[in-house]
Amino acid sequence: VWQTPADLDPLVLAQALLLRGDAGAALAALKDQTTCHATLLRARALEMQGDFPAAIAQLEPLRDLLQRKQITDPAELTAAAQGVVMLARLEGRPKEDYFLAMDLLGRVRENLAPTYWPASLAEAQILARRDNRPQAIEALQQALSLQPASAALWFEAGQLFVSGFNFDAGQKAIDKLYQLAPDGPLPMLLEGMSLIKQRRYADARR
């Protein structure tokens, strides 16, 4: 049974619960949390439950905050930008929302906190969803230059390489993951994705 430390940050707990697919418990963990990051996680949990109207209702205030430029904290601004991109996807809004998010992430990276690597990661994820692979890789490389020991970043980079059929670069990411997190699921998961993309199904089942 998974024992939750009493002093665990509710946001960290909610993220872990979402990774386990437990949206209900994640929502419970986020009770009384009012930050932009909490709002983003709450919306993800609601989307996981299929409650799209409620997820949209959670995210709409973030767009208003960003348009009024009332957020200056780098972490909060990054979470709000990610929330706006999620809102744009759920609502099917025009690409202006994506440009707003990218503009604000650029503000974090260039002015507010140049060493805050999660902003570069968020930028890369947005660019990848927009099928802008070269700039997504560039943003990931920027993030990796700031946090080269992050397994999560190498996994994101590896996914981009593999999906773009750059299997040599993907293998380098896999090797790096085995160095950084040999006992975790990420290296095996990325390796399986690469083998499947190469249609090496027998190897992927091993």
Side-chain angles (χ1 to χ4, degrees):
V1 178
W2 182 22
Q3 298 293 326
T4 304
D7 59 347
L8 184 62
D9 185 327
L11 300 181
V12 174
L13 174 58
Q15 285 177 307
L17 291 166
L18 286 174
L19 287 173
R20 292 178 61 195
D22 196 341
L27 288 170
L30 293 167
K31 184 182 178 182
D32 301 326
Q33 299 296 311
T34 59
T35 63
C36 294
H37 193 184
T39 298
L40 173 64
L41 294 175
R42 194 176 290 111
R44 287 175 176 169
L46 290 166
E47 182 186 26
M48 188 179 290
Q49 291 182 330
D51 194 346
F52 304 117
I56 289 171
Q58 279 289 317
L59 295 170
E60 283 176 331
L62 296 185
R63 181 195 289 145
D64 295 336
L65 285 172
L66 288 179
Q67 288 174 338
R68 294 198 301 269
K69 299 183 178 179
Q70 293 185 340
I71 305 173
T72 56
D73 178 77
E76 286 289 271
L77 194 52
T78 299
Q82 291 174 295
V84 164
V85 171
M86 181 179 175
L87 179 61
R89 174 173 56 78
L90 290 172
E91 290 185 327
R93 280 176 57 89
K95 57 188 177 183
E96 281 74 12
D97 277 352
Y98 289 95
F99 292 142
L100 171 64
M102 292 299 292
D103 180 63
L104 291 164
L105 289 171
R107 181 178 162 218
V108 173
R109 181 170 42 80
E110 295 170 11
N111 302 116
L112 292 177
T115 60
Y116 186 66
W117 62 267
S120 295
L121 172 59
E123 229 177 346
Q125 292 169 331
I126 293 168
L127 288 163
R129 292 190 191 101
R130 300 290 290 175
D131 294 322
N132 190 338
R133 196 176 308 278
Q135 287 191 18
I137 291 173
E138 185 179 329
L140 270 174
Q141 289 173 335
Q142 169 68 15
L144 282 167
S145 73
L146 297 168
Q147 187 72 359
S150 169
L153 280 178
W154 279 105
F155 182 71
E156 289 283 345
Q159 286 186 100
L160 266 180
F161 292 136
V162 167
S163 64
F165 297 94
N166 188 344
F167 298 118
D168 289 339
Q171 186 59 51
K172 290 180 181 178
I174 292 166
D175 293 341
K176 189 68 176 179
L177 283 170
Y178 274 117
Q179 292 176 20
L180 294 171
D183 299 322
L186 294 183
M188 291 184 64
L189 182 56
L190 183 58
E191 190 169 26
M193 291 167 60
S194 179
L195 291 169
I196 290 170
K197 195 74 172 179
Q198 295 174 70
R199 299 187 178 182
R200 293 168 56 186
Y201 304 118
D203 291 333
R205 286 195 292 269
R206 290 177 184 172

